[in-house]
């Protein structure tokens, strides 16, 4: 999905009556998160974190950078959550958790699989029996995933 279409999707999210976000992050904060995670965010991810960071709409929580690795609260924070799961559970280096489904599974940016626009695919995985298991690919990129979420609640 191109960046213009992605921005249209982001504008639709803002239209939800219960939409909330903590406000966007600046370039330095985004770069600090990338450094902590050892990855470079895709264009869509960067745009989302610049515009919203942590956000909630239609009861769906999308994790943000928030306070980065300095935060002692994991839930809702992609940096702290990722670093914790890498250290304690051996989370794959290129997986970044950004949403929980409430059933023990999570949505991840999978930076080991990039599409033609250098966007990570979105996967669903679970930690079970001492390892992370891929359940399914949810979308080609973050924009397609957000569009899918919007359509599921409309």
């Amino acid at each position: 999905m191109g960046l213009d279409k992605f921005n249209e999707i982001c504008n639709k999210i803002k239209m939800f009556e219960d939409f909330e976000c903590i406000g966007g992050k600046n370039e330095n904060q985004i770069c600090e998160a990338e450094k902590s995670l050892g990855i470079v965010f895709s264009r869509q991810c960067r745009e989302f974190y610049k515009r919203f960071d942590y956000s909630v709409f239609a009861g769906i929580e999308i994790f943000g950078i928030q306070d980065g690795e300095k935060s002692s609260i994991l839930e809702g924070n992609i940096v702290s959550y990722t670093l914790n799961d890498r250290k304690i559970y051996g989370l794959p280096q290129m997986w970044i958790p950004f949403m929980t489904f409430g059933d023990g599974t999570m949505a991840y940016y999978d930076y080991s699989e990039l599409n033609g626009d250098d966007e990570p695919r979105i996967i669903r995985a679970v930690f079970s029996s001492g390892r992370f298991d891929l359940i399914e690919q949810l979308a080609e990129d973050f924009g397609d995933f957000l569009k899918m979420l919007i359509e599921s609640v409309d």
Side-chain angles (χ1 to χ4, degrees):
M1 171 180 294
L3 202 52
D4 288 340
K5 186 73 171 166
F6 178 77
N7 283 322
E8 286 178 33
I9 297 295
C10 288
N11 288 335
K12 287 182 181 180
I13 291 170
K14 291 182 350 185
M15 302 306 286
F16 279 86
E17 186 175 311
D18 66 343
F19 171 77
E20 293 181 28
C21 72
I22 64 168
K25 294 297 182 196
N26 64 41
E27 189 66 24
N28 288 339
Q29 292 166 314
I30 292 170
C31 289
E32 186 64 34
E34 290 174 329
K35 182 179 174 186
S36 296
L37 295 171
I39 57 134
V40 175
F41 290 126
S42 69
R43 289 183 325 156
Q44 290 178 3
C45 292
R46 291 180 82 77
E47 183 64 24
F48 190 84
Y49 296 128
K50 282 180 185 178
R51 289 180 74 168
F52 305 126
D53 196 36
Y54 172 88
S55 62
V56 178
F57 66 96
I60 300 165
E61 175 187 42
I62 306 291
F63 294 6
I65 293 168
Q66 296 204 38
D67 294 328
E69 69 178 291
K70 298 175 184 102
S71 177
S72 61
I73 300 171
L74 302 180
E75 191 69 27
N77 181 321
I78 63 167
V79 180
S80 291
Y81 208 109
T82 301
L83 295 176
N84 179 76
D85 281 13
R86 284 178 182 170
K87 180 179 179 183
I88 296 182
Y89 304 112
L91 175 70
Q93 185 73 19
M94 301 308 280
W95 289 12
I96 309 296
F98 70 90
M99 191 186 99
T100 181
F101 287 98
D103 63 358
T105 66
M106 294 191 76
Y108 295 84
Y109 303 114
D110 180 5
Y111 278 91
S112 68
E113 289 275 333
L114 302 179
N115 66 18
D117 293 323
D118 290 329
E119 295 291 338
R121 70 180 179 164
I122 305 303
I123 60 171
R124 185 177 194 158
V126 65
F127 183 77
S128 176
S129 302
R131 67 174 202 248
F132 285 89
D133 290 319
L134 173 66
I135 297 171
E136 62 184 323
Q137 178 174 330
L138 296 169
E140 285 291 314
D141 62 30
F142 189 43
D144 286 337
F145 180 70
L146 290 175
K147 181 178 180 221
M148 181 182 76
L149 288 177
I150 290 168
E151 290 171 351
S152 75
V153 294
D154 265 351

